[in-house]
Amino acid sequence: GVMRLDVRNEALETHYIDAMELLELRHEGDEMVVPAGRSGPVALRTLTALTQVFDSRGRNVARQLATVDGSVFASEPALLREAARGTAAPEDHLELTVSRRELGAVAGDSLALMLTMRSSLMSTVVFYEHMLAKAGARSLDWVGKDLSRITTVAQVARWYTGNFGLRVEVRDGSEWRGVVRLMDFGPVAWRNVAAILPPVSGDSIRVRLLFAPDEFHVDRLAVK
C-alpha cells in the first residue's frame, strides 16, 4: 500500500532536513514499540503504573503519571523562579522505587521504564531569548560564521549536554549510577520513549530522573 507522511516543524522555527528514514517493526498486537535510548526500539506489554513517584519538592505525582489523560506532571512554577534567582538547585527530578516481585521479575532481569512526554518551550526560549537576542547583532556572526567551526560546535554541545536533557540514574549500593541521557525533543507532539534499566542487586530498584526545572512535561510513566 501507500503510506503518506506529513512532516511539520515542532515550533515556529526553521529546520533543515538532510535525510529521512522509515523503519518497519513487526510485533504482536498487544505490544507497544517505542524507541529506547542507546538500545534501539523495544517492544513492551503489560506496563505497570506506580503508586508513588516523588518530585524534588516531595510531592507524590503518581496520579498525574498513571495514564495518558491530560493530567500532566510539570515542575512547580515556584521551583523555576527560585532556580532562575539562584536560590534553589537548577534541576528538578522524579524518584521512584520499582519492586521486582510486583512485576514478576527476578534478580538479574533488566527492566524498562516507559514515558509519554514532550519538551516544554524552555530550550526554545533559552536559544532565542538568551543565546541570540541577548547577543544582538553579534548573534548573526555567531550563527553564520562561528558555528561553522568545529571547536565552537563542540563548546555548545558540551554546554548543552551539561545543562539539558533527561538523565536516568539507578541506585547501586550507596551511590547513583547513570544509565542513559534522553535528549530534548519538540514541544508540540507527545512522544513515547523508553529507558532500559540494568540489573542491580536487591529486591527493588530505585530510579531517579533528573532535568532542568520545567524542561519536560510527562503524561505517563510506567514500568515493565
Side-chain angles (χ1 to χ4, degrees), residues 5 7 17-22:
L5 302 179
V7 182
I17 299 176
D18 186 55
M20 183 177 293
E21 186 177 20
L22 185 65

Side-chain angles (χ1 to χ4, degrees), residues 157-218:
R158 282 195 299 270
W159 174 83
Y160 184 81
T161 56
N163 293 276
F164 289 94
L166 185 143
R167 305 187 306 280
V168 181
E169 299 179 343
V170 296
R171 188 76 172 183
D172 191 359
S174 60
E175 62 183 22
W176 290 99
R177 175 158 59 96
V179 174
V180 69
R181 181 178 175 279
L182 303 177
M183 295 293 293
D184 283 1
F185 36 78
V188 174
W190 292 97
R191 185 173 303 186
N192 294 318
V193 295
I196 305 302
L197 308 178
V200 296
S201 59
D203 295 330
S204 60
I205 301 178
R206 287 178 63 190
V207 185
R208 186 168 67 178
L209 314 177
L210 300 113
F211 45 90
D214 200 44
E215 184 181 358
F216 294 99
H217 297 165
V218 186

Side-chain angles (χ1 to χ4, degrees), residues 118-178:
R118 66 184 180 188
S119 299
S120 69
L121 286 170
M122 173 176 286
S123 58
T124 300
V125 171
V126 168
F127 179 69
Y128 287 111
E129 299 297 327
H130 178 71
M131 300 180 70
L132 295 183
K134 190 175 181 180
R138 173 71 180 85
S139 64
L140 298 176
D141 289 333
W142 184 72
V143 172
K145 297 179 181 178
D146 295 352
L147 287 182
S148 63
R149 304 189 185 101
I150 188 62
T151 53
T152 304
V153 173
Q155 289 174 350
V156 173
R158 282 195 299 270
W159 174 83
Y160 184 81
T161 56
N163 293 276
F164 289 94
L166 185 143
R167 305 187 306 280
V168 181
E169 299 179 343
V170 296
R171 188 76 172 183
D172 191 359
S174 60
E175 62 183 22
W176 290 99
R177 175 158 59 96

